[in-house]
Amino acid sequence: MSLSHQQKVYIPKDVRSNQYITAEIKVTDALLAHFPDYKTCYQTLSRNIFKLADQTELHNVHVITNDKLPVVRFHTEAYCFPTAEQIVFFYNPEYHEAQSLHSQDDYKARKIRIVFLATGEDIRANSASFHIKVQSFLGKLTPLLPEKDLTIKIRDHQHLSYDLFAAAKGNKATYGYKLRSISNRYSARSCPLPEGHGSLCYVTVKLPLSRQLKQSTLAEATDDFTPLYQKLEDAFVQATAAKQLNRVAMVANGLTPLVRNSKYDQVDGTDEVQMLGFDPNIEEQQFISHWDGSRLVEMVSFTIAAGAQDSKDGALGRYLNRVEEALKRLTSELELDRSRDDLIVRFHQHISYQVPEQLIS
């Protein structure tokens, strides 16, 4: 097999591509001092943001001033579901446009988050131009802010999602991706990124705990689900270790996994979010497990993070191929029905950086 072929991963043609960018502005007392109250601050800033978004041709923009975490998923209809700690956006990039302020009048936000959802077709191919638009937007927004000495951080989230069992269901058409890092893709399209920007790549898979899985492991009546979780953990660890995938996590506690680079970000959990911290530069085994044998959940989440060597050009394709091979071994061990069950693989690529002064001045 040629090296070029090994560097490609063949993904179903109906793969879905998502991208969203958040700009986080740290709220200071100096900023709030320009307004009579929080409500006026949020409303005034959001009006300026939405007006500027129209001018910059950014068509799906949300302002979050209640410190809730944005989560973005594809759906044929547009929905926005708030929880105590999150705001989940469902939308179709080809059709849905929006401008919304998500706020709490008497709440002092730690950050103002501006969420830009990519719109149009060919999301991945146009990701650099979308990022450039956001940079341009921030360059125009900064002079309009009443306080000039503000910290702004950009997070660019991109992912591909597809059913690992698509071929078993008759969907055999694939496309060969030679996956490249965001920085290399952007560099080829004249999109500047600051030196030292953070990056992280990982795969997430959610496995529903079907009746078949539970019946194959548990007694008919039990309040101890340890054997089920232990079986899943052992099978997952063995499958990933066989493919030299050393940064893995299993979460079965009902919380939403959130992956961060443990070298730079805090990894404390919350009531809704399970933080997972991996250091891509460390080669030793990094295994994280969160489950409680006394509690049965509906879904188990598996995460496989890429290392620094995996994220270099030419290596991401090989990394995702190894991930797929590990997942196929896991699902064979669990005897999943590939013609009936879905196993959605989400390949995530993230970058983050603090906006440099020359970019927004």
Side-chain angles (χ1 to χ4, degrees), residues 197-201 261 280 311 350-352:
H197 64 270
S199 64
L200 195 62
C201 298
N261 187 322
S311 300
H350 293 180
I351 59 168
S352 61

Side-chain angles (χ1 to χ4, degrees), residues 17-168:
S17 180
N18 277 17
Q19 180 184 16
Y20 68 99
I21 298 174
T22 61
E24 301 175 352
I25 303 174
K26 187 176 180 180
V27 175
T28 64
D29 291 336
L31 173 64
L32 294 173
H34 292 274
F35 303 94
D37 51 46
Y38 303 148
K39 179 178 180 180
T40 305
C41 173
Y42 303 152
Q43 290 182 341
T44 302
L45 292 179
S46 64
R47 281 196 296 268
N48 290 335
I49 288 168
F50 296 144
K51 181 179 179 179
L52 188 57
D54 285 335
Q55 297 172 4
T56 323
E57 297 183 334
L58 294 164
H59 303 305
N60 202 325
V61 179
H62 301 262
V63 178
I64 301 176
T65 62
N66 52 21
D67 287 324
K68 294 188 179 183
L69 178 72
V71 178
V72 180
R73 292 289 182 264
F74 175 91
H75 202 281
T76 53
E77 298 183 52
Y79 295 103
C80 175
F81 292 117
T83 69
E85 297 180 4
Q86 303 172 71
I87 300 179
V88 187
F89 298 101
F90 292 92
Y91 86 116
N92 184 332
E94 291 190 28
Y95 305 111
H96 297 142
E97 301 177 355
Q99 290 184 343
S100 298
L101 169 63
H102 308 269
S103 68
Q104 185 176 332
D105 293 344
D106 58 349
Y107 178 80
K108 180 183 178 181
R110 297 188 302 274
K111 300 175 183 177
I112 295 174
R113 282 189 176 95
I114 311 172
V115 183
F116 307 89
L117 306 184
T119 56
E121 301 178 349
D122 299 323
I123 297 299
R124 188 174 180 85
N126 293 317
S127 59
S129 61
F130 179 57
H131 194 99
I132 290 171
K133 283 184 179 181
V134 172
Q135 289 180 333
S136 174
F137 169 93
L138 293 173
K140 296 174 182 177
L141 174 66
T142 306
L144 302 179
L145 297 175
E147 184 63 29
K148 305 306 177 187
D149 188 20
L150 293 173
T151 300
I152 303 177
K153 186 170 185 177
I154 287 181
R155 298 183 188 270
D156 189 332
H157 306 256
Q158 301 175 33
H159 63 260
L160 299 171
S161 56
Y162 59 95
D163 182 6
L164 185 67
F165 301 153

